[in-house]
Amino acid sequence: MSDNGASSIPPQTFVECGLCQGNDNISWFCKNCPTSLCDACATTHRTTKQYKSHTIVERTYTVLRLFGPAKIAEQCEVHLEKDISSYCNECDAPCCISCLVQNHQHHEISTIEDKYLDAEKRLNVYYKQLDTDVRPTVDEMEDQAREDVKEDNFTVEKVINDINEFRKDFIQNFNRSCDDLITEVNQISKKTTEAFGGIEKSKKMIESLKKEIEEKIERGKLDIIKYQTPKLESLIPTIKRHRKVDISFEPSMKMLEILRESVGKIKFNESEKETMNRSTISRYIHLQKLHSFDSKIDPTSMTTAGNNMAWVMDYDRPTMNLYNDKGKVVRTMAVKGSEGINDMAITHSGEIIVTCRDRKVRRVSVNGKVSTIIDTAPFACYGVCVTDKQEIVICMRGQSDKNHVAVYSADGRSKLREIRGRDGQGKHLITSPFRVVQNGQDLCVVNGGWNVVCVDERDNVRWMYDGKQAKLEKIFKPWGICVDMYNNMLVTDTENHCVHYIDREGCLIQVILTKEQTGLWGHWGICLDDVTGHVWVGNNFNKKVIISKYLK
């Protein structure tokens, strides 16, 4: 074994010295010539003036692969006395001269040197890719892993601090509540003791009066006639009755809020998470139907506009109506040039981004001016949302395996990236995006009418919800989606006529606003007003809009 770890040339290999053509002790190689050298010629080569700059190294397989053509003769496995000289491309096998005559006539044949050079080129390309493609990716993953570890350590430290702060507050509140309860119980005990004292005094007075009356009777009739008896009411002690006190200790609401806030910052495993969601969130939050009203158009999509109002649109019409919560049309807006409106989103400045059926994305200014900002052809544009960074996110469909979610700059001029939902095996799960919302730093996509896919900023799938957790009679067919103040999602199910209430980790909390509860079917559009807590659900089959409210 040489110093560089490569195996030396086997002794049965036949090779000549490039200078003297001898075949003894051929153990050196000149990188510059390039040629193999025997011991004597290698010494001469080193000392000759014109070759002093040449680099002579030990002759190994690695050296020959990197600096010279393949001159290593290998024996044929079939004809051991023959050296391999050719390569049959059809049979993908090395050949000696006898092999060519016997088994490979009329086949496509290459010389062993040409085959070697082709393989060498391929390996060189692969070798370079390891440095240019694979290594940078691994380095980037390493850097990100370090950042993740750093972030996780910071999060763990913060959670521990939160727990310690909660423990401190909990103990203080607990001790204070216990002290108050003990004080109240002692006061009750004191008042009860005082009451017993009054009773004993009254009993003594009664016995004293009885004895006094007996004495009067013994003295004679005149004493009895003159005797003035006290009022009976004065003999009954005055005891103030107290309300019954519930002395069972319960934490204050403030303590419960602290507990929920602290627990909410800790990650749980799936079973613990589902138990917490069902036992806490669903216990304190549910929806109550307020009323419904008739819509002039099919409410296939809706977007809240604040102030107890929401925009309602129909993908078959180029107009959209702004309703208040009483069902009155406050404003009607027509998007000129559009055949129908698929979806809309409102920017932080109050402008409206509209996706239209003619494959155009339009911006509607506050004063109603309409301008086209994105042409999505050949894709059809469907769902749209505006992120916290003011990026415009659009669902692109209609091109089979090229469908994706596109993220544009705020002005719509630059396409920043494509979202396709890559799972752990590199497969793309977002194949037919229909609606999209932002949830924290993630994007949640209604995909093809059969599931909801959540992806992070790097396009990695965090989770996928397919409705099976609900165990409903029909298959899950999602349409509209929105996010509430708790980072949970409400998704309409057009097949089961209900809304799935899902937490931000993709677990079902409960099924709400069912056909039995609302008396309506065909849940399509949905939006939520976080200020009022009103949920708007559009029923396409009935042309009605249901308004419900969160209760805590």
Side-chain angles (χ1 to χ4, degrees), residues 294 296 320-324 326-332:
D294 293 330
K296 296 182 180 296
M320 48 191 180
N321 294 331
L322 181 63
Y323 284 90
N324 62 19
K326 306 302 180 184
K328 181 181 178 181
V329 177
V330 178
R331 182 183 179 188
T332 298

Side-chain angles (χ1 to χ4, degrees), residues 303-319:
T303 300
T304 181
N307 299 321
N308 295 319
M309 294 186 293
W311 285 100
V312 177
M313 63 216 76
D314 178 2
Y315 60 73
D316 280 331
R317 299 171 183 262
T319 59

Side-chain angles (χ1 to χ4, degrees), residues 351-376:
E351 295 180 318
I352 300 174
I353 306 298
V354 183
T355 55
C356 304
R357 292 188 64 185
D358 61 351
R359 306 175 189 268
K360 299 289 194 302
V361 179
R362 293 178 169 87
R363 186 192 302 275
V364 183
S365 66
V366 178
N367 59 13
K369 182 180 178 181
V370 179
S371 59
T372 299
I373 58 172
I374 303 172
D375 186 346
T376 64

Side-chain angles (χ1 to χ4, degrees), residues 127-128 165 176 191 225 237 281 368 430 454 457 490-491 493:
Y127 185 88
K128 291 178 180 178
E165 286 296 322
R176 189 180 301 111
K191 291 178 181 179
I225 293 171
I281 300 177
I430 298 177
C454 178
E457 289 182 300
L490 292 91
V491 182
D493 185 345

Side-chain angles (χ1 to χ4, degrees), residues 158-391:
K158 189 174 187 304
V159 169
I160 293 175
N161 290 336
D162 288 345
I163 293 173
N164 287 330
E165 286 296 322
F166 165 72
R167 176 166 55 187
K168 179 180 176 181
D169 292 343
F170 183 88
I171 292 174
Q172 289 178 351
N173 281 277
F174 182 85
N175 289 337
R176 189 180 301 111
S177 298
C178 288
D179 291 341
D180 293 343
L181 188 59
I182 291 171
T183 300
E184 187 172 0
V185 171
N186 285 333
Q187 289 176 350
I188 294 173
S189 177
K190 180 180 178 180
K191 291 178 181 179
T192 303
T193 302
E194 291 175 353
F196 271 108
I199 291 172
E200 290 296 325
K201 184 178 179 180
S202 295
K203 287 171 66 177
K204 290 179 180 180
M205 289 180 63
I206 291 171
E207 294 300 322
S208 176
L209 287 171
K210 287 171 64 179
K211 185 176 181 180
E212 185 176 345
I213 291 172
E214 290 172 356
E215 292 175 352
K216 295 292 182 183
I217 292 174
E218 291 178 358
R219 288 178 184 176
K221 296 180 180 178
L222 186 61
D223 286 343
I224 293 174
I225 293 171
K226 291 182 178 181
Y227 183 70
Q228 299 292 325
T229 58
K231 294 182 179 181
L232 294 176
E233 292 83 353
S234 64
L235 302 177
I236 300 175
T238 301
I239 301 175
K240 185 177 181 181
R241 294 185 178 275
H242 300 278
R243 62 178 175 84
K244 184 177 180 181
V245 179
D246 183 5
I247 62 174
S248 61
F249 172 73
E250 292 185 3
S252 65
M253 288 303 297
K254 179 181 179 181
M255 292 173 64
L256 289 176
E257 290 298 328
I258 295 174
L259 176 61
R260 275 199 294 273
E261 181 180 355
S262 297
V263 171
K265 296 175 182 176
I266 304 173
K267 296 181 179 179
F268 296 87
N269 61 38
E270 292 300 323
S271 59
E272 291 173 335
K273 179 172 57 182
E274 183 174 356
T275 300
M276 187 185 73
N277 285 334
R278 293 184 181 276
S279 62
T280 58
I281 300 177
S282 59
R283 181 183 301 170
Y284 294 103
I285 303 172
H286 63 279
L287 290 174
Q288 180 186 53
K289 178 183 175 183
L290 298 179
H291 64 277
S292 62
F293 61 83
D294 293 330
S295 173
K296 296 182 180 296
I297 58 177
D298 293 334
T300 59
S301 183
M302 293 190 294
T303 300
T304 181
N307 299 321
N308 295 319
M309 294 186 293
W311 285 100
V312 177
M313 63 216 76
D314 178 2
Y315 60 73
D316 280 331
R317 299 171 183 262
T319 59
M320 48 191 180
N321 294 331
L322 181 63
Y323 284 90
N324 62 19
D325 60 348
K326 306 302 180 184
K328 181 181 178 181
V329 177
V330 178
R331 182 183 179 188
T332 298
M333 181 183 298
V335 181
K336 296 181 180 180
S338 170
E339 300 171 357
I341 299 173
N342 286 325
D343 201 8
M344 65 166 287
I346 300 177
T347 67
H348 294 184
S349 60
E351 295 180 318
I352 300 174
I353 306 298
V354 183
T355 55
C356 304
R357 292 188 64 185
D358 61 351
R359 306 175 189 268
K360 299 289 194 302
V361 179
R362 293 178 169 87
R363 186 192 302 275
V364 183
S365 66
V366 178
N367 59 13
K369 182 180 178 181
V370 179
S371 59
T372 299
I373 58 172
I374 303 172
D375 186 346
T376 64
F379 295 92
C381 49
Y382 281 81
V384 60
C385 75
V386 177
T387 68
D388 295 337
K389 299 177 182 178
Q390 291 297 289
E391 296 171 339

Side-chain angles (χ1 to χ4, degrees), residues 400-462:
S400 187
D401 59 343
K402 296 181 181 179
N403 294 341
H404 62 279
V405 175
V407 181
Y408 287 85
S409 58
D411 58 7
R413 296 177 181 177
S414 302
K415 188 175 184 179
L416 304 179
R417 59 188 181 277
E418 292 184 2
I419 304 296
R420 302 186 68 183
R422 182 181 57 203
D423 65 7
Q425 288 72 43
K427 181 180 179 181
H428 293 143
L429 299 187
I430 298 177
T431 56
S432 187
F434 183 73
R435 289 286 184 268
V436 59
V437 293
Q438 184 185 26
N439 191 356
Q441 299 302 314
D442 302 330
L443 289 177
C444 297
V445 182
V446 174
N447 181 45
W450 55 78
N451 57 36
V452 178
V453 179
C454 178
V455 297
D456 61 19
E457 289 182 300
R458 302 176 195 164
D459 196 23
N460 296 317
V461 173
R462 293 191 62 246

